[in-house]
């Protein structure tokens, strides 16, 4: 990774990843792109930023050529709940954008990263300690996009030798940029509401378990995978990675250790509940650890402590 182009750079992952990559590789070597310029986002001013709708192949190719890009980190996509509301648009953006990114990578011989997700599993998948290689029959548009995406990346690697790499991310929790349109978003919003209002109403049932990871671990895992020796990567486009598995009740209890009068209430959103119910309770990340040394640092309590400090500061509380 010497000259990197990031799509969806003002999103939840992109914002922190862009900041970290600029520290590591130099600001001029990390070109942030997004369909809109969010003026309040810390990455859009000063350092290279370009508007890019990833469905526009010519613009994608033009920017990659202009900056002499050797690495594409493709993050622009709809998350699960939005994709379920707008399935055709999700197909267009999630698949069309990915295909364009892969074509640019093939044309210009770039290394390529795109995230998959726990959403690539479905109701017929083993729910606990979900193996690396298992049944993948998701019943959401997002999940269908993710499985097709994993396969498409495999295809570009096998057929054209593009150095594609990817991770099946769990829900990501972060304090810098908010997530949007995901099923796991509650695990971010709960901290803001706990600090502002001492109360949070969960749209998922109290005992809904899903995998999660704190953003610093997610960012480090992307960089570690991208820098790993390619000879070690047998499952290169779809590594299970997780740091913790918890339910709304468990995260509420972790928050109560810091904010004792915090209360959680439940008002279930059937649509997001059914998405969550179709996903694993916990996935097995052993393969990522064995093939390229994946590890995470933060557990639920360490993450909660850090989130409370950072979100409190952000909200000036
Ligand atoms: N965080 C994503 C979502 O909830 C899952 O990959 O859609």
């Amino acid at each position: 990774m010497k000259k990197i182009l990031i799509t969806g750079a003002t999103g939840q992952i992109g914002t922190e990843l862009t900041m970290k990559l600029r520290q590591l590789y130099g600001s001029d070597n990390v070109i942030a792109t997004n369909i809109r310029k969010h003026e309040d986002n810390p990455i859009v001013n000063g350092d290279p930023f370009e508007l890019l709708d990833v469905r526009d192949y010519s613009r994608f190719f033009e920017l990659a050529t202009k900056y002499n890009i050797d690495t594409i980190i493709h993050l622009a996509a709809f998350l699960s709940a939005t994709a379920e509301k707008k399935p055709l648009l999700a197909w267009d953006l999630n698949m069309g954008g990915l295909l364009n990114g892969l074509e640019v990578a093939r044309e210009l011989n770039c290394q390529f990263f795109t995230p998959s997700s726990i959403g690539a599993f479905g109701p017929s998948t083993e729910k606990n300690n979900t193996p690396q290689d298992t049944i993948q029959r998701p019943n959401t548009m997002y999940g269908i996009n993710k499985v097709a995406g994993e396969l498409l990346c495999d295809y570009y690697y096998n057929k054209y030798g593009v150095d594609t790499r990817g991770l099946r991310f769990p829900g990501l929790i972060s304090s810098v940029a908010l997530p949007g349109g995901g099923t796991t978003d509650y695990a971010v919003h709960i901290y803001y509401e706990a600090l502002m209002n001492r109360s949070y109403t969960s749209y998922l049932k109290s005992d809904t378990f899903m995998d999660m990871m704190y953003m610093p671990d997610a960012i480090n895992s992307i960089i570690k995978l991208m820098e790993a020796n390619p000879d070690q990567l047998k499952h290169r486009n779809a590594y299970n990675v997780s740091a913790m598995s918890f339910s709304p009740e468990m995260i509420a209890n972790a928050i109560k250790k810091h904010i004792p009068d915090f209360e959680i209430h439940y008002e279930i959103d059937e649509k997001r509940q059914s998405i969550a119910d179709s996903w694993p309770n916990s996935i097995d990340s052993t393969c990522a650890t064995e093939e390229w040394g994946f590890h995470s640092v933060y557990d639920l309590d360490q993450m909660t402590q850090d989130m409370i400090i950072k979100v409190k500061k952000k909200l000036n509380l």
Side-chain angles (χ1 to χ4, degrees):
M1 291 201 285
K2 290 198 182 77
K3 201 88 186 180
I4 306 159
L5 183 144
I6 306 184
T7 71
T10 54
Q12 192 200 11
I13 303 177
T15 302
E16 282 179 70
L17 182 63
T18 302
M19 293 193 296
K20 179 81 180 193
L21 291 175
R22 283 180 171 162
Q23 270 171 22
L24 291 174
Y25 298 93
S27 293
D28 288 347
N29 295 323
V30 182
I31 318 308
T33 73
N34 206 70
I35 192 166
R36 268 177 289 278
K37 188 171 186 180
H38 300 279
E39 293 293 345
D40 54 344
N41 188 291
I43 62 150
V44 301
N45 290 310
D47 299 320
F49 176 86
E50 297 275 2
L51 288 172
L52 172 62
D53 178 342
V54 293
R55 292 167 298 181
D56 180 349
Y57 176 78
S58 311
R59 172 83 177 148
F60 208 147
F61 185 82
E62 175 199 313
L63 287 177
T65 312
K66 173 178 167 189
Y67 288 99
N68 206 11
I69 292 303
D70 67 18
T71 305
I72 295 169
I73 300 196
H74 177 58
L75 304 174
F78 278 160
L79 292 183
S80 56
T82 308
E84 238 13 59
K85 278 190 201 139
K86 300 174 183 169
L88 297 187
L89 200 53
W91 180 270
D92 193 29
L93 175 69
N94 293 0
M95 299 314 302
L98 176 61
L99 196 59
N100 284 342
L102 285 165
E103 271 297 295
V104 175
R106 179 180 71 79
E107 289 271 357
L108 301 177
N109 196 22
C110 298
Q111 200 188 12
F112 186 88
F113 174 88
T114 199
S116 184
S117 160
I118 50 172
F121 298 115
S124 52
T125 306
E126 171 71 55
K127 268 197 137 10
N128 296 310
N129 211 23
T130 303
Q132 173 67 41
D133 297 310
T134 185
I135 297 169
Q136 290 181 266
R137 303 283 296 171
N139 57 3
T140 62
M141 177 50 84
Y142 179 71
I144 293 165
N145 295 164
K146 289 300 180 189
V147 175
E150 291 180 4
L151 295 173
L152 204 53
C153 289
D154 284 350
Y155 184 82
Y156 269 73
Y157 170 67
N158 289 318
K159 191 171 174 88
Y160 304 118
V162 178
D163 184 0
T164 52
R165 305 184 185 200
L167 301 168
R168 286 181 189 139
F169 272 136
L172 299 178
I173 292 126
S174 63
S175 59
V176 181
L178 287 167
T183 303
T184 57
D185 296 4
Y186 89 88
V188 179
H189 297 150
I190 194 170
Y191 289 104
Y192 285 77
E193 295 295 323
L195 283 161
M196 291 190 298
N197 303 321
R198 301 282 184 271
S199 162
Y200 177 71
T201 303
S202 169
Y203 54 79
L204 296 179
K205 292 179 191 159
S206 62
D207 59 352
T208 307
F209 278 81
M210 283 186 289
D211 290 278
M212 301 280 175
M213 189 185 287
Y214 197 30
M215 192 59 84
D217 281 329
I219 300 296
N220 286 337
S221 65
I222 293 174
I223 295 168
K224 198 165 172 106
L225 173 64
M226 291 304 271
E227 288 180 344
N229 177 347
D231 301 339
Q232 295 165 248
L233 306 178
K234 294 193 194 73
H235 296 82
R236 57 174 40 244
N237 290 311
Y239 287 100
N240 284 8
V241 287
S242 175
M244 55 192 112
S245 162
F246 60 72
S247 62
E249 186 178 13
M250 281 171 71
I251 189 172
N253 288 337
I255 291 172
K256 275 186 204 162
K257 290 181 196 165
H258 300 267
I259 307 172
D261 58 344
F262 172 64
E263 286 178 11
I264 185 162
H265 304 279
Y266 297 93
E267 221 169 87
I268 306 313
D269 168 11
E270 294 305 334
K271 292 203 173 85
R272 280 178 287 183
Q273 184 66 50
S274 87
I275 296 175
D277 288 342
S278 77
W279 291 354
N281 295 336
S282 65
I283 62 173
D284 176 16
S285 323
T286 314
C287 178
T289 303
E290 285 174 0
E291 290 188 21
W292 51 275
F294 163 74
H295 72 278
S296 58
V297 172
Y298 288 88
D299 63 15
L300 176 56
D301 284 333
Q302 289 164 312
M303 174 179 80
T304 298
Q305 191 172 0
D306 202 54
M307 276 296 282
I308 286 180
I309 293 168
K310 298 224 163 90
V311 175
K312 211 173 181 171
K313 200 168 158 202
K314 188 176 173 187
L315 298 173
N316 285 322
L317 296 170

